Amino acid sequence: MSVGQRKAAALLQRLLLLFIAVHLIVVFTGDPPYPGWLGLAAAAGVFGLSLALGADARREAKVSEPPATVETAPPVTGRWSALNSPADKVPSHGTRSLGQAYAIDIVAEPAEGAGRPAFAWLWPLARGNRAFPAFGAPLLAVADATVVHAEDGQRDHLSRNSLAGILYLIVVEGFGRSLGGARRIVGNHVILDLGEGTYAMYAHVKQGSLAVRAGDRVTVGQELGRCGNSGNSTEPHVHFQLMDGPDLETARGVPFSWRGVGVPANGTVFTTDATTHVDQVKQ
């Protein structure tokens, strides 16, 4: 598919999802003034488009040269651990959509022995964001760059790290966010143009925390905003990825490596220092 075809397919998919949502409301409140099978047809269309977009991404990944790894500074300082890492599998999040092929999630780890809230099977159903050490942590520019997109108006919701919370995220909230497109899925986010066709995206940013706007020039290590829990997120964490374009719906993922860290595998705890974060890049 061309870029235009991928954008058209993504738009059609959202329109079909919107029709399904309206159809379900109509069905539960009365008789629809149209054939009921249209709802099933719309669901089949969404499924078919998902398969087509996924197959297209996999086909392009096979026939194209693997993108070169781009080395940057880490996007945070302090003690963190990795989740959904491309060091363990690609695509790291189970999909190549939204430029996520080589994306990584990281969560802040408090000092030894302190711990952070664990997954709850039954109770509590949700926790406040301040219970998680990642919430409010500074997000740093990974290179000298230009801000091409920045938004932080979406709310930070409660955690979804319980069984009931996960089910709600997948069945109810995830469906609703899909209707809103990429920006509702990644939540508040900032995209940097690193130059030479590489872009960095930070997702799930804290509401109202961004210190930059589109068009700003930033230097490596500069604070961009704060870690939050907006969008499709189970708990406050940093979602970071490199892409070959600024448009999430058409961009392809690019592999990264953080100076002094590399690509941490799932469960790996790593620490970055503010001084070396800057000095290593400036060398």
Side-chain angles (χ1 to χ4, degrees):
M1 292 185 187
S2 66
V3 171
Q5 289 172 327
R6 289 199 297 271
K7 286 187 71 69
L11 176 59
L12 178 58
Q13 194 173 45
R14 289 203 300 275
L15 291 175
L16 289 174
L17 284 171
L18 179 59
F19 174 77
I20 291 171
V22 173
H23 173 72
L24 291 174
I25 294 173
V26 171
V27 167
F28 282 111
T29 57
D31 293 326
Y34 52 81
W37 57 262
L38 287 178
L40 292 176
V46 170
F47 181 71
L49 286 169
S50 297
L51 290 179
L53 289 168
D56 178 66
R58 290 190 297 272
R59 181 168 52 252
E60 184 165 324
K62 288 181 179 179
V63 301
S64 302
E65 286 291 327
T69 298
V70 176
E71 188 178 63
T72 71
V76 294
T77 57
R79 192 169 185 267
W80 297 76
S81 64
L83 302 170
N84 301 318
S85 171
D88 291 86
K89 68 172 185 176
V90 176
S92 58
H93 286 57
T95 178
R96 295 181 183 273
S97 67
L98 306 185
Q100 297 181 89
Y102 302 94
I104 191 169
D105 294 329
I106 56 174
V107 292
E109 294 287 353
E112 291 285 356
R116 79 173 202 278
F119 180 82
W121 287 100
L122 297 176
W123 192 263
L125 298 178
R127 291 183 172 92
N129 290 313
R130 298 192 182 282
F132 298 87
F135 189 69
L139 303 175
L140 309 178
V142 295
D144 295 343
T146 301
V147 180
V148 295
H149 183 84
E151 63 172 280
D152 62 357
Q154 299 181 52
R155 69 182 179 87
D156 294 291
H157 53 71
L158 296 176
S159 75
R160 307 286 189 247
N161 68 331
S162 67
L163 180 59
I166 289 288
L167 292 175
Y168 173 76
L169 176 65
I170 295 173
V171 178
V172 180
E173 191 171 31
F175 179 82
R177 292 189 184 282
S178 295
L179 293 177
R183 62 181 296 271
R184 291 297 181 183
I185 294 173
V186 301
N188 300 322
H189 62 288
V190 58
I191 299 175
L192 304 181
D193 181 355
L194 308 187
E196 299 183 354
T198 303
Y199 297 78
M201 194 274 286
Y202 307 65
H204 315 308
V205 175
K206 182 181 178 183
Q207 184 179 35
S209 72
L210 284 179
V212 296
R213 289 293 179 261
D216 289 353
R217 283 289 299 171
V218 296
T219 57
V220 62
Q222 180 177 333
E223 183 174 322
L224 305 174
R226 299 276 170 160
C227 174
N229 196 34
S230 56
N232 266 15
S233 174
T234 56
E235 67 176 86
H237 73 283
V238 178
H239 174 107
F240 175 85
Q241 66 189 50
L242 295 185
M243 316 175 290
D244 65 359
D247 187 340
L248 289 170
E249 291 187 340
T250 59
R252 304 297 191 184
V254 172
F256 72 89
S257 179
W258 291 331
R259 291 185 183 92
V261 177
V263 185
N266 289 339
T268 300
V269 177
F270 62 94
T271 302
T272 63
D273 177 80
T275 302
T276 56
H277 176 96
V278 175
D279 288 349
Q280 286 178 331
V281 177
K282 292 297 187 182
Q283 288 176 355

